[in-house]
Amino acid sequence: SNVYLNSSTTLSYPKHFREGIRQVSLTGEAYFEVAASADNPFVITAGNALVRAVGTSFNVNAGENEQHVDVFVASGKVDD
């Protein structure tokens, strides 16, 4: 998987992912290219939203002062 961060964006993640889930926390805006893995979904905590992806590419905008989170899917499908 690849993540491209916009300026002033922070992405937090554990040193090792728990088995069965790849979970990160985002503040700001980032573009994700998530490698397909049905057994290990990719979950992003962004503001008050949880975005779940299995294999897709998408943009998440979750600014620190924003009341909502925008998700734009380039390919595939995400759940929020």
Side-chain angles (χ1 to χ4, degrees):
S1 297
N2 294 307
V3 180
Y4 303 91
L5 304 178
N6 202 345
S7 62
S8 301
T9 295
T10 58
L11 182 73
S12 303
Y13 53 90
K15 188 172 182 175
H16 300 284
F17 289 121
R18 290 186 352 230
E19 187 172 332
I21 191 166
R22 300 172 285 172
Q23 188 160 3
V24 300
S25 296
L26 175 73
T27 301
E29 183 176 19
Y31 181 77
F32 294 83
E33 296 174 338
V34 176
S37 178
D39 294 333
N40 296 297
F42 198 92
V43 178
I44 302 147
T45 302
N48 58 358
L50 284 177
V51 179
R52 183 179 181 273
V54 174
T56 187
S57 53
F58 55 96
N59 191 80
V60 177
N61 189 350
E64 199 169 315
N65 297 322
E66 295 182 27
Q67 295 294 323
H68 66 279
V69 175
D70 293 319
V71 179
F72 301 98
V73 179
S75 67
K77 178 185 171 191
V78 298
D79 296 325
D80 59 350

